[in-house]
Amino acid sequence: METNFKEQIIDLDWKQATQKIEDFNTIADLTFHINYYISGVLKVLEGGTLDIRDKFSFDSPPIKSEQDWKELVNKFCSNSEKFISLVETMTDEKLLSDFVNKKYGTYFRNIDVMIEHTYYHLGQIILIKKKVIQ
């Protein structure tokens, strides 16, 4: 069975996305968290600066309505699609060059970490969603 992040969140309503299961993050929290990193790295891929900080990656504004949730999902999907598109067009030379600063490694390393990080949280979302939809 193949899946992806969008497939797991697109059919949820805002109450499901914000439902707290034990002491886990909510699906909305995890969606914000991953989008935070995607949007931050996307800004660099578009020629901007790296302004994201780990300590802010869960500072999600509260989701209080279906509209709030759909806006987050749409931002996530839009940013993800832009990110994928930019990575697809990167040259090997760019992939192997330093990402912002030599201490952060290469673009390739940062993209690889982004994929691993996203799949880690996708696994959490799948498990939380099973509990939410029971």
Side-chain angles (χ1 to χ4, degrees):
M1 179 176 139
E2 293 181 27
T3 190
N4 63 63
F5 211 106
K6 178 180 176 181
E7 182 180 297
Q8 293 300 316
I9 63 173
I10 200 83
D11 62 342
L12 295 174
D13 65 39
W14 76 280
K15 290 188 178 193
Q16 293 168 322
T18 58
Q19 185 176 334
K20 190 76 172 149
I21 302 293
E22 299 173 23
D23 63 344
F24 301 119
N25 289 305
T26 67
I27 292 171
D29 291 336
L30 294 169
T31 301
F32 174 87
H33 177 71
I34 291 300
N35 186 61
Y36 179 82
Y37 284 105
I38 289 172
S39 64
V41 174
L42 177 61
K43 184 176 177 185
V44 173
L45 297 180
E46 294 174 326
T49 56
L50 181 64
D51 301 323
I52 56 175
R53 300 293 175 263
D54 291 345
K55 66 182 179 178
F56 301 123
S57 69
F58 277 105
D59 289 354
S60 173
I63 303 292
K64 296 182 179 179
S65 68
E66 189 66 25
Q67 181 178 342
D68 291 345
W69 170 239
K70 292 301 179 197
E71 285 175 11
L72 176 57
V73 170
N74 289 337
K75 281 183 203 172
F76 171 85
C77 292
S78 175
N79 286 336
S80 297
E81 289 167 12
K82 288 178 195 171
F83 183 92
I84 291 165
S85 178
L86 288 172
V87 169
E88 284 177 334
T89 62
M90 290 180 84
T91 65
D92 289 348
E93 181 180 55
K94 182 69 171 181
L95 282 168
L96 298 175
S97 67
D98 291 337
F99 181 81
V100 180
N101 185 311
K102 190 173 188 75
K103 71 180 179 180
Y104 295 127
T106 64
Y107 278 83
F108 179 84
R109 178 184 176 276
N110 281 271
I111 293 165
D112 185 50
V113 167
M114 181 71 72
I115 293 166
E116 290 180 19
H117 183 221
T118 301
Y119 271 102
Y120 170 77
H121 289 302
L122 174 60
Q124 291 177 317
I125 285 174
I126 290 168
L127 294 173
I128 294 166
K129 186 175 177 181
K130 287 179 187 237
K131 291 278 196 179
V132 166
I133 295 182
Q134 284 186 3

